[in-house]
């Protein structure tokens, strides 16, 4: 350019200076401006002449004046180096604009002879820089104070940048982590998942994954952290994987505790607390699943319902704690007997179910039930002793796609009752005729409620003979149901149902009132009266109103209390010997006499007999049966008679059917006897005729 003859260098320079966004000035050492480039017009809005007049410290922003004065001094004292600074100058429109200004000491340059300044408008850049600085400061403050930490790693998970908040969150000095690998700090159990998810995230730009993992805290504990990784490997400003890390230990612990308590609740809702076996709810669930599976596989499902024989007697005689131990031992034995995959559940009380799946043949279920029954020939070991407990088992089998879980249970239950009625320790298989039995039980209960109101319950009396005088001295009141369709029903057909349903209380009261009235009539015919025996059920004995009721019945009938004898079975008395003793004492105080019925079938000890205020022992029919047939029965009866006499008790034998039994009893010194051989239970009029004839 310099060699082109057409160009005048000064004119060119001046022309370029016109176009420039820069302003040049020259000033004397006194600070007087002697030159300003015309560009001052469009850069700062002043006419050059006006500018020269104004120029000086007045155009500098008050906050920057110290800087300018330092610069000026520096320029004057050091002619070799340019002095530079950034400061604000006032535009003609009154606004302040940023400039980078360089001062050149050209005092010695003859062409200038002053201090030249060169101001470059950087206003827009300065504003942008300032915004950046503010943002940066904000970011720093945020990171220092945030609960979250941000770390950046490379594609292999090595830390390349860590935010200051890492210290608060994680305990490490941020810079000490650089170069370490995140994976090294993660709990071994959480590593696989982390590797898997991290790798999938690094495949796609900008994709994110959220991972919850335990990380080793600098304080020497595992803590839970939620990390959100974002792939910014391709982003020029980052070139890494950004992880937002947050401590979630408290939440994780709360969630863990909640999960644990949910599991506990679920377990409690589906398991029996005594034996830890699945309960009815869980059993029905599993049964439904088993049926669905059987349907698909064309196999059979067996439901074996077990009930402990005479559990009530065992429980009553040995106490509830022993009863519980027995159930636990039984549960353990059952669990050991079934195949893997079969379910043993407790329905409640002494009822258990074995759910047997995947049976090729229905007969397999029966075979399995027989194995169970046989297994209980061995005694169960309780903490303190051993106990023999047999079980009765009802079996129901579902073929592919047949029946619902509750139908199956109901059928197994009916079969179990059938097994019991056939004489315990047996297996019975459900067949449809059992439905009728269940319906019968229900019908009887409904009809029995009605029978009480309709006065269909009648009392028959069976004579009791004094073996010393052969005279009828007493009678036992036995209830019968005059059923409109089925004729006269004996207690065996309805007493059990009455006890289960609670109707026994009303029946008992009815018999008691009837018997007292009847005995009162006999008392008026015979000077020393005829004693009447009334059976009391366990429920009546437990009724706190019993003594009052008895007193009222005696009072209404006008009967002497010593003519009333209450029979309580041995089993019922020994359930809770202490409570029984208290009730008996109150009965005794009324003057009523007390008999222990079915004696020999329960578990009373000599000591407990002595402590109870009883008057009579009634030897159970099963022993009398053996008289003249079985020497062991004879020995037992003789021993009971002797023991009774030693305790000053009257001893009575029930169920005498043959003359020979009577002879045995006489020779043993038994006091009284009752049985078909001596007279059947009959309406009161029959007994009254008998009383008149003797
Ligand atoms: P239990 O108190 O042991 O009554 C004796 C049972 O033996 C009566 O049966 C009677 O008919 C029967 N029996 C008497 N002598 C002979 C005999 O020589 N041979 C045979 N095979 N049996 C004989 P029943 O009347 O059927 O009563 C059965 C049970 O029902 C009674 O046994 C008693 O436990 C209960 N029961 C009867 N009436 C009542 C009542 O009013 N209230 C309560 N709670 N239970 C009653
Ligand atoms: Mg009786
Ligand atoms: Mg009896």
């Amino acid at each position: 350019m310099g060699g082109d003859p057409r160009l005048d260098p000064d004119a060119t320079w001046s022309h370029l200076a016109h176009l420039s966004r820069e302003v040049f000035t020259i000033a004397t050492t006194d600070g007087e401006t002697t030159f300003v480039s015309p560009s001052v017009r469009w850069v700062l809005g002043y006419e050059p002449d006006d500018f020269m007049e104004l120029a000086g410290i007045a155009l500098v922003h008050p906050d920057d004046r110290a800087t300018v004065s330092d610069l000026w001094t520096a320029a004057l004292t050091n002619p070799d180096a340019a002095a530079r600074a950034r400061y604000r100058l006032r535009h003609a429109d009154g606004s302040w604009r940023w400039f980078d200004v360089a001062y050149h000491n050209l005092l010695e340059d003859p062409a200038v002879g002053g201090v030249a300044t060169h101001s470059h408008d950087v206003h827009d850049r300065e504003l942008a820089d300032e915004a950046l600085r503010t943002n940066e400061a904000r970011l720093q403050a945020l990171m220092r104070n945030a609960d979250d930490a941000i770390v950046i790693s490379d594609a292999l998970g090595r830390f390349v940048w860590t935010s200051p908040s890492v210290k608060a969150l994680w305990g490490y000095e941020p810079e000490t982590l650089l170069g370490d690998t995140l994976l090294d700090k993660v709990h071994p159990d959480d590593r696989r998942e982390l590797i898997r998810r991290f790798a999938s995230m690094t495949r796609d730009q900008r994709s994110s994954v959220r991972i919850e993992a335990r990380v080793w805290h600098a304080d020497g504990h595992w803590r839970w952290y939620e990390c959100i990784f974002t792939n910014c490997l391709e982003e020029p400003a980052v070139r890494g994987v950004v992880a937002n890390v947050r401590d979630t230990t408290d939440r994780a612990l709360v969630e863990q505790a909640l999960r644990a308590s949910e599991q506990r609740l679920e377990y409690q809702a589906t398991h029996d607390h005594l034996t830890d076996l699945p309960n009815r709810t869980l059993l029905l669930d599993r049964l439904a699943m088993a049926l669905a599976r059987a349907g698909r596989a064309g196999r059979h499902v067996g439901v074996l319902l077990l009930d402990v024989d005479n559990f009530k007697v065992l429980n009553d005689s040995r106490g509830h704690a022993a009863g519980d131990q027995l159930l636990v031992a039984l549960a353990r034995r059952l669990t050991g007997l079934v195949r893997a995959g079969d379910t043993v559940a407790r329905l409640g009380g002494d009822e258990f179910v074995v759910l047997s799946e995947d049976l090729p043949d229905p007969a397999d279920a029966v075979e399995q039930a027989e194995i169970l029954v046989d297994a209980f020939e061995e005694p169960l070991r309780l903490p303190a002793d051993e106990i023999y407990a047999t079980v009765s088992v009802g079996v129901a089998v579902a073929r592919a796609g047949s029946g619902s879980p509750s139908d199956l249970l109901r059928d197994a239950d009916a079969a179990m009752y059938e097994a019991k009625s056939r004489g315990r320790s047996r297996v019975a298989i459900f067949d449809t005729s059992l439905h009728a039995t269940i319906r019968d039980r229900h019908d009887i209960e409904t009809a029995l409620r009605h029978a009480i109101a309709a006065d269909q319950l009648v009392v028959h009396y069976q004579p009791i003979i004094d073996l010393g005088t052969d005279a009828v001295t007493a009678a036992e009141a036995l209830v019968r149901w005059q059923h409109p369709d089925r004729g006269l029903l004996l207690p065996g057909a309805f007493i059990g149902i009455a006890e289960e349903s609670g109707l026994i209380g009303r029946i008992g009261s009815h018999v008691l009132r009837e018997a007292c009235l009847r005995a009162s009539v006999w008392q008026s015919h015979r000077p020393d009266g005829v004693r009447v025996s009334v059976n009391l059920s366990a429920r009546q004995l437990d009724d706190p109103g019993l003594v009052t009721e008895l007193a009222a019945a005696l009072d209404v009938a006008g009967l002497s209390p010593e003519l009333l004898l209450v029979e309580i079975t041995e089993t019922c008395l020994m359930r809770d010997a202490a409570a029984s003793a208290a009730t008996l004492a109150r009965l005794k105080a009324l003057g009523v006499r007390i008999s222990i019925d079915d004696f020999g079938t329960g578990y009373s000890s000599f000591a407990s007999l002595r402590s109870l205020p009883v008057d009579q022992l009634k030897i159970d029919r099963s022993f009398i049966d053996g008289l003249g047939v079985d020497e062991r029965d004879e020995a037992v009866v003789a021993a009971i008679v002797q023991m009774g006499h030693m305790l000053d008790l009257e001893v009575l034998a029930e169920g005498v059917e043959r003359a020979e039994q009577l002879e045995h009893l006489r020779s043993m010194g038994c006091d009284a006897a009752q049985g078909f051989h001596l007279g059947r239970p009959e309406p009161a009029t029959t007994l009254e005729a008998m009383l008149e004839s003797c």
Side-chain angles (χ1 to χ4, degrees):
M1 177 164 66
D4 191 332
R6 286 172 304 168
L7 290 179
D8 168 359
D10 286 346
T12 306
W13 162 242
S14 149
H15 184 71
L16 286 175
H18 265 79
L19 293 174
S20 164
R21 298 282 313 161
E22 328 242 319
V23 176
F24 299 93
T25 64
I26 299 171
T28 66
T29 47
D30 301 337
E32 189 190 335
T33 307
T34 56
F35 171 80
V36 61
S37 60
S39 57
V40 74
R41 282 201 189 91
W42 50 90
V43 177
L44 275 166
Y46 298 100
E47 279 307 311
D49 286 348
D50 295 346
F51 181 82
M52 285 199 288
E53 224 166 83
L54 287 169
I57 207 78
L59 287 180
V60 176
H61 192 283
D63 291 351
D64 300 337
R65 283 177 191 165
T67 312
V68 172
S69 134
D70 289 350
L71 204 61
W72 183 253
T73 312
L76 287 183
T77 50
N78 189 0
D80 299 332
R84 295 173 194 281
R86 179 174 290 191
Y87 58 83
R88 284 158 284 184
L89 290 172
R90 194 167 65 219
H91 192 276
D93 67 9
S95 65
W96 296 102
R97 293 186 69 82
W98 285 97
F99 287 85
D100 271 346
V101 187
Y103 284 54
H104 305 271
N105 182 336
L106 299 176
L107 289 167
E108 300 304 321
D109 186 331
V112 180
V115 176
T117 69
H118 160 214
S119 305
H120 177 65
D121 186 336
V122 292
H123 191 71
D124 294 341
R125 195 197 315 157
E126 173 61 21
L127 289 190
D129 284 356
E130 179 160 330
L132 264 180
R133 277 197 305 274
T134 314
N135 275 344
E136 176 72 11
R138 262 193 210 132
L139 212 63
Q140 288 291 340
L142 277 178
M143 288 198 181
R144 253 194 321 278
N145 299 316
D147 288 337
D148 294 9
I150 296 172
V151 297
I152 301 178
S153 76
D154 61 14
L156 298 174
R158 284 183 303 231
F159 297 116
V160 294
W161 186 85
T162 52
S163 70
S165 49
V166 157
K167 169 79 179 158
L169 189 84
W170 216 348
Y172 299 99
E173 290 301 337
E175 57 279 6
T176 62
L177 288 174
L178 300 179
D180 285 1
T181 307
L182 171 63
L183 204 58
D184 293 339
K185 301 225 172 326
V186 169
H187 194 285
D189 292 351
D190 300 336
R191 279 185 197 161
R192 265 170 65 106
E193 182 67 3
L194 179 69
I195 293 170
R196 199 178 64 76
R197 313 272 314 269
F198 193 91
S200 83
M201 178 258 323
T202 51
R203 278 195 288 272
D204 296 312
Q205 173 64 9
R206 292 295 322 165
S207 78
S208 283
V209 290
R210 185 189 157 278
I211 294 172
E212 201 151 11
R214 280 156 289 180
V215 178
W216 188 248
H217 192 282
D219 70 5
H221 294 97
W222 294 108
R223 291 187 68 82
W224 283 97
Y225 293 90
E226 177 191 71
C227 311
I228 298 169
F229 292 101
T230 307
N231 178 352
C232 300
L233 286 163
E234 303 294 323
E235 227 159 276
V238 185
R239 298 229 170 270
V241 172
V242 179
N244 268 279
V245 186
R246 161 182 306 183
D247 189 323
T248 53
T249 308
D250 293 344
R251 190 186 73 197
L253 291 179
V254 168
E255 277 172 6
Q256 247 172 24
L258 274 177
R259 258 198 308 278
S261 84
E262 263 168 30
Q263 279 167 355
R264 221 180 14 254
L265 282 180
E266 156 137 8
Y267 187 86
Q268 281 167 1
T270 52
H271 286 79
D272 166 47
H273 67 96
L274 176 66
T275 59
D276 247 358
L277 291 178
N279 64 11
R280 179 187 291 267
T281 311
L282 187 52
L283 172 74
L284 286 172
D285 248 28
R286 294 209 180 151
L287 194 47
M289 282 193 291
L291 287 172
R293 275 196 291 269
R296 284 197 296 276
R299 297 280 178 127
H300 295 85
V301 175
V303 172
L304 284 53
L305 197 147
L306 290 84
D307 187 286
V308 183
D309 297 328
N310 297 320
F311 179 72
K312 207 174 143 6
V313 176
L314 292 168
N315 204 32
D316 288 349
S317 58
R318 296 204 175 205
H320 291 287
D324 284 355
Q325 289 169 358
L326 174 99
L327 294 174
V328 172
L330 196 115
R332 214 177 301 126
R333 177 163 300 174
L334 276 179
T335 313
L337 285 169
V338 302
R339 305 171 309 168
D342 287 352
T343 296
V344 179
R346 182 177 174 218
L347 287 187
D350 59 340
E351 286 190 338
F352 293 83
V353 166
V354 173
L355 164 61
S356 204
E357 277 198 63
D358 204 22
L359 301 173
D361 192 314
D364 296 340
V366 182
E367 197 175 307
Q368 201 183 2
E370 260 146 16
I371 292 172
L372 296 182
V373 166
D374 292 347
F376 285 94
E377 274 168 16
E378 289 290 309
L380 287 166
R381 229 171 290 287
L382 306 192
D385 57 357
E386 288 190 335
I387 193 164
Y388 282 90
T390 59
V391 294
S392 299
V393 185
V395 181
V397 180
R399 276 155 252 277
S402 73
S404 75
S406 48
D407 285 354
L408 260 183
L409 264 193
R410 183 204 57 208
D411 293 351
D413 192 55
M416 188 275 292
Y417 270 103
E418 174 68 15
K420 290 246 179 213
S421 71
R422 283 193 218 149
R424 294 162 209 279
S425 193
R426 274 164 210 257
V427 174
I429 301 124
F430 178 78
D431 80 76
T432 41
S433 68
L434 284 177
H435 276 309
T437 316
I438 307 168
R439 234 191 356 258
D440 277 359
R441 287 177 69 82
H442 177 74
D443 290 352
I444 288 177
E445 187 185 323
T446 316
L448 194 55
R449 281 177 201 283
H450 173 70
I452 300 170
D455 215 14
Q456 293 168 2
L457 294 178
V458 295
V459 183
H460 283 188
Y461 297 88
Q462 184 175 29
I464 293 169
I465 313 294
D466 182 310
L467 291 181
T469 61
D470 279 347
V472 177
T473 52
E476 178 172 9
L478 294 161
V479 70
R480 270 95 184 95
W481 180 4
Q482 190 63 61
H483 195 281
D485 309 321
R486 297 166 63 182
L488 193 71
L489 298 181
L490 294 181
F494 61 92
I495 282 284
I497 297 172
E499 267 169 12
E500 275 166 29
S501 62
L503 288 170
I504 190 71
R506 289 163 65 194
I507 297 177
S509 304
H510 173 74
V511 175
L512 180 67
R513 280 195 305 271
E514 265 305 301
C516 287
L517 284 170
R518 193 51 71 180
S520 164
V521 173
W522 300 333
Q523 189 182 4
S524 60
H525 288 292
R526 290 243 305 234
D528 46 355
V530 177
R531 292 192 321 211
V532 72
S533 298
V534 174
N535 294 286
L536 290 188
S537 73
R539 277 201 192 232
Q540 283 175 287
L541 199 67
D542 291 341
D543 180 358
L546 174 69
V547 179
T548 323
E549 192 186 342
L550 267 167
L554 288 168
D555 193 38
V556 168
L559 181 69
S560 316
E562 68 278 5
L563 290 179
L564 176 65
L565 198 140
V566 291
E567 293 190 6
I568 302 162
T569 64
E570 184 182 15
T571 324
C572 167
L573 264 184
M574 296 305 156
R575 278 176 319 165
D576 183 350
S580 299
T583 313
L584 296 193
R586 294 175 61 212
L587 291 177
K588 277 306 282 185
L590 274 184
V592 169
R593 295 158 63 83
I594 297 162
S595 172
I596 303 189
D597 201 354
D598 302 345
F599 188 79
T601 55
Y603 294 88
S604 37
S605 65
F606 194 76
S608 60
L609 269 184
R610 216 172 50 174
S611 68
L612 291 173
V614 294
D615 303 280
Q616 187 186 67
L617 294 183
K618 210 165 169 182
I619 308 173
D620 191 64
R621 194 170 72 227
S622 56
F623 300 103
I624 308 304
D625 259 356
L627 293 183
V629 182
D630 187 333
E631 283 179 4
R632 275 173 310 182
D633 280 351
E634 280 164 23
V636 170
V637 175
I640 295 177
V641 173
Q642 265 182 23
M643 180 189 70
H645 287 166
M646 264 156 60
L647 292 171
D648 254 350
L649 303 177
E650 182 187 1
V651 182
L652 188 154
E654 68 178 346
V656 177
E657 294 181 343
R658 303 183 301 274
E660 125 188 74
Q661 292 168 322
L662 208 53
E663 288 323 307
H664 276 284
L665 290 167
R666 275 190 216 283
S667 67
M668 288 171 188
C670 187
D671 303 298
Q674 172 186 358
F676 293 169
H677 178 65
L678 301 161
R680 293 192 172 248
E682 302 274 7
T685 45
T686 314
L687 185 90
E688 281 156 14
M690 207 171 159
L691 285 175
E692 269 162 28
S693 71
C694 66

